[in-house]
Amino acid sequence: MSRRVAIALQIDEPYPHHQEVFAGIVRYAQERADWECLIDEHPASNARRRRGLANRYDGVIARARPHLQRLLRRQGIPLVNTLFQTHRPGLPGVYADPWAMGRLAAEHLIDRAFRRLCVLVDRRHKHSWEICRGYARKAAEARVSCTVHDLPEEPYDDPVYWLRVERSLIGILEELTPPVAVFAETAPVARLMVQLARARKWRVPSDLAILCAHNLKAVVGVAPQISAIEPNYERVGYEAAGLLDRLMAGEAPPPEPIYVPPRGIIARESTDYSAVEDKVVAAALHFVSGRLGKPLRLREIAAAIMVSPRSLQLRFRAGLGRSVSAEIRRLRIESAKRMLAEPDRQLREIAVLC
């Protein structure tokens, strides 16, 4: 018997994660011969039913606002929510794991030797706030300083709001001391932060590293490219469909939501640097970063910056906690990962360049 499943994800919104969740649901449905997926942004609409447009569904996957939650509960239709902002206890839901995202962001920056972290967050946005909590908790565990700045989000087409954001970021930059790493949830705010920092003659990433939570390619791909978390929203959709399938089969809802961890970090120019106070180590990293496709020997690097090999090795271990060769290997791996994300790159070319 065919199962009619309504999908209400605000699919017309220009956010890639809406489409990625949808793609995950469709992938699950393609594996099930008895699923019929229907886009319906108002799956419990009484108006449609009054007009004789039958829209009785076997289940719904939605970015479910409280009103929709109540209507579906009254109609006895199973619901899986994908909007963390509206989650409540007892509601079946599948969400991108905000704590894992925050911890991953902090780990990425701490691994690059940043000891001053900053996060920009809209405290009203529950998912953003939980990302911030994960970020701050990881910073505390690593005994790294972390400042939190509230940056309320409003529609960007409001010129007054956009000027207010710009003034806020200028004020935040005045409080920060380079080298510092900033985590901003949205790509446009991260891009604006880069612009304002460069206007102050700060170098990105050596003075200011920046990372954002959404890999909005059109914004992060402009030089200097901005590093971003890569959430697994397609997996969110796939897991949501699987959970709904079990609910429609009569299983009891799980006691807790399903949280999907991120795929990882897409490292780009804005964090591709180790922030060290030691000018010798910084000079060595600058020398190395432009020669990753060539043989790099400790003696040659030391000679280029006019220190002894032993001194350079000791200073790397003191500043970064790893050897020169380990840092070169890490930089090559990060470079290869970035290039693998570029569709026109050939594996042979990447191997040569790294």
Side-chain angles (χ1 to χ4, degrees):
M1 184 176 68
S2 176
R3 296 190 183 278
R4 300 180 77 242
V5 175
I7 302 173
L9 299 174
Q10 295 174 283
I11 204 71
D12 60 322
E13 292 287 346
Y15 303 115
H17 56 280
H18 290 211
Q19 284 83 42
E20 289 167 18
V21 173
F22 179 76
I25 297 168
V26 170
R27 181 161 66 87
Y28 185 92
Q30 289 170 343
E31 298 171 4
R32 302 281 306 190
D34 59 343
W35 268 51
E36 181 185 8
C37 290
L38 303 161
I39 295 176
D40 185 349
E41 295 294 347
H42 306 282
S45 169
N46 289 322
R48 291 188 63 177
R49 299 177 76 185
R50 285 197 298 270
R51 293 178 183 177
L53 300 171
N55 63 342
R56 174 72 190 187
Y57 296 110
D58 296 293
V60 175
I61 300 172
R63 292 171 59 82
R65 304 286 179 181
H67 179 65
L68 178 60
Q69 294 176 26
R70 290 191 295 270
L71 287 175
L72 291 173
R73 187 167 60 248
R74 288 175 197 155
Q75 296 176 24
I77 299 174
L79 164 68
V80 173
N81 186 29
T82 63
L83 180 60
F84 186 78
Q85 185 75 9
T86 60
H87 176 72
R88 58 172 180 75
L91 175 66
V94 181
Y95 312 109
D97 189 332
W99 304 283
M101 291 170 68
R103 291 183 67 86
L104 182 66
E107 286 169 3
H108 177 76
L109 298 167
I110 293 167
D111 186 53
R112 279 148 178 77
F114 284 94
R115 293 296 174 265
R116 287 186 286 272
L117 304 187
C118 170
V119 57
L120 311 177
V121 64
D122 184 346
R123 293 173 183 265
R124 302 169 305 173
H125 192 279
K126 191 160 70 170
H127 195 260
S128 301
W129 179 241
E130 296 303 331
I131 291 175
C132 173
R133 288 180 62 192
Y135 182 88
R137 177 69 62 85
K138 180 60 186 176
E141 290 171 4
R143 298 186 179 182
V144 170
S145 71
C146 179
T147 57
V148 178
H149 295 272
D150 191 20
L151 198 70
E153 283 187 47
E154 301 292 345
Y156 290 156
D157 59 359
D158 180 352
V160 175
Y161 164 72
W162 193 244
L163 288 172
R164 190 162 65 245
V165 169
E166 185 171 337
R167 285 196 298 269
S168 296
L169 293 180
I170 290 170
I172 291 167
L173 282 168
E174 288 174 353
E175 296 177 17
L176 299 178
T177 303
V180 61
V182 174
F183 176 64
E185 185 179 20
T186 67
V189 167
R191 174 61 61 192
L192 181 57
M193 191 72 159
V194 167
Q195 293 168 196
L196 295 171
R198 295 179 88 184
R200 298 171 69 89
K201 307 301 182 185
W202 286 16
R203 298 163 299 167
V204 175
S206 50
D207 293 325
L208 175 80
I210 193 155
L211 173 69
C212 65
H214 295 296
N215 187 36
L216 194 59
K217 294 179 182 178
V219 180
V220 299
V222 181
Q225 296 181 344
I226 296 174
S227 299
I229 297 175
E230 188 178 23
N232 198 345
Y233 281 108
E234 184 177 349
R235 189 72 195 181
V236 169
Y238 189 88
E239 293 290 342
L243 175 55
L244 181 62
D245 207 3
R246 296 190 293 275
L247 295 176
M248 292 189 298
E251 287 189 22
E256 298 293 335
I258 296 171
Y259 292 103
V260 177
R263 288 193 180 100
I265 298 282
I266 300 176
R268 299 186 177 95
E269 295 171 68
S270 70
T271 62
D272 191 15
Y273 194 86
S274 290
V276 287
E277 306 285 354
D278 191 321
K279 292 182 179 180
V280 169
V281 176
L285 289 170
H286 181 74
F287 177 83
V288 164
S289 63
R291 296 168 175 81
L292 295 177
K294 301 174 182 178
L296 288 165
R297 297 178 178 85
L298 178 61
R299 286 186 178 278
E300 294 172 359
I301 300 168
I305 58 173
M306 296 182 288
V307 296
S308 72
R310 175 174 170 75
S311 174
L312 184 61
Q313 192 73 274
L314 291 172
R315 293 173 89 146
F316 257 72
R317 290 196 178 279
L320 299 179
R322 49 185 171 263
S323 67
V324 175
S325 61
E327 178 62 11
I328 291 171
R329 186 163 54 249
R330 187 191 70 78
L331 290 171
R332 283 174 168 155
I333 290 170
E334 292 291 349
S335 180
K337 286 162 65 176
R338 286 197 306 276
M339 286 188 247
L340 284 167
E342 300 173 16
D344 297 330
R345 292 280 192 183
Q346 299 295 318
L347 288 176
R348 183 177 297 177
E349 178 189 12
I350 294 172
V352 170
L353 292 172
C354 296

